[in-house]
């Protein structure tokens, strides 16, 4: 198996700064890949710092594992714990960076990470940045938003048609930096040749619904051109938020 990976982040058509951060790494043997998106919050400076600290922390924790061939034989629970440890480190670092600086006291960040080992995706996330599986032209969200609106959808208080009109629809129930500890979600997804993973901030999904993605993928020769086309389409729609994507195709 091999992977084609690319990513892109853009300020969007309205914002004056970019508080999103993306990153990806491929192991030297080509059997593992790491994909990351973080969407910061807490003001111009705070959001940029929080997302940057979180992504750097995950890379620090995960890149050594990416180059360790023993992880190809490790059980799922150990992989889940390793991802949770990396999220915990990121949370600790965001909190530590915030302490003692009143200008940063509200900063935090979402985080979504996919660790792909021999074609099997291990996905963890906190907040409302998402991971999608694109398979045979269909898009399936593999993460559940940590938001008040999602809780209301789950308990039947509102319908999907109501969600865009809820005034507090962007309020998160979980974020890195919001509490001393954080319990990240986890999802295991076996992949097949031709499958794609798309990690994104909510700037993409708010500006460009998933129904528009298959055409963009079909018209793109590689993941780099697909990422550029997705972001360009969001800008054409006057994206009101930062737009970030990391894409991977499995061959």
């Amino acid at each position: 198996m091999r992977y084609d990976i690319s990513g892109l982040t853009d300020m969007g058509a309205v914002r004056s700064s970019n508080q999103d951060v993306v990153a990806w790494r491929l192991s030297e043997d080509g059997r593992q890949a790491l994909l990351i998106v973080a969407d910061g919050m807490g003001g111009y400076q705070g959001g940029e710092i929080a997302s940057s600290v979180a992504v750097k922390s995950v890379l620090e924790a995960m890149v050594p594992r990416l180059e360790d061939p023993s992880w190809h034989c490790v059980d799922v629970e150990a992989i889940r714990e390793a991802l949770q440890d990396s999220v915990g480190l990121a949370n600790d670092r965001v909190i530590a960076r915030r302490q003692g600086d009143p200008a940063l006291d509200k900063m935090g960040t979402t985080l979504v990470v996919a660790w792909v080992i021999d074609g099997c995706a291990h996905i963890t996330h906190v907040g409302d940045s998402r991971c999608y599986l694109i398979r045979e032209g269909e898009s399936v969200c593999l993460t559940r938003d940590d938001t008040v609106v999602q809780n209301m959808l789950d308990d039947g208080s509102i319908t999907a048609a109501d969600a865009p009109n809820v005034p507090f629809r962007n309020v998160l129930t979980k974020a890195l930096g919001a509490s001393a500890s954080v319990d990240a979600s986890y999802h295991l997804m076996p992949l097949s040749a031709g499958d794609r993973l798309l990690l994104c901030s909510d700037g993409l999904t708010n500006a460009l619904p998933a129904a528009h993605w298959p055409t963009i993928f079909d018209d793109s020769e590689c993941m780099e051109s697909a990422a550029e086309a997705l972001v360009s389409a969001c800008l054409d729609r006057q994206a009101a938020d930062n737009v970030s994507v990391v894409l991977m195709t499995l061959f």
Side-chain angles (χ1 to χ4, degrees), residues 2 61 97 102 120 125 129 142 157 184-185 192 234-235:
R2 59 189 181 91
R97 181 65 180 83
C120 192
H125 96 289
S129 293
L142 302 179
S157 301
S185 69
S192 302
C234 290
L235 296 178

Side-chain angles (χ1 to χ4, degrees), residues 10 95 111 143 199 210 215 218-219 230:
D10 191 278
I95 291 173
L111 180 71
T143 51
L199 279 64
T215 300
D218 290 344
D219 293 341
L230 285 170

Side-chain angles (χ1 to χ4, degrees), residues 59-81:
L59 289 172
E60 178 183 324
M62 295 301 300
V63 167
R65 294 181 170 110
L66 208 67
E67 298 301 343
D68 183 349
S70 67
W71 284 97
H72 298 289
C73 306
V74 171
D75 62 35
V76 169
E77 188 56 34
I79 292 171
R80 180 174 184 167
E81 289 178 2

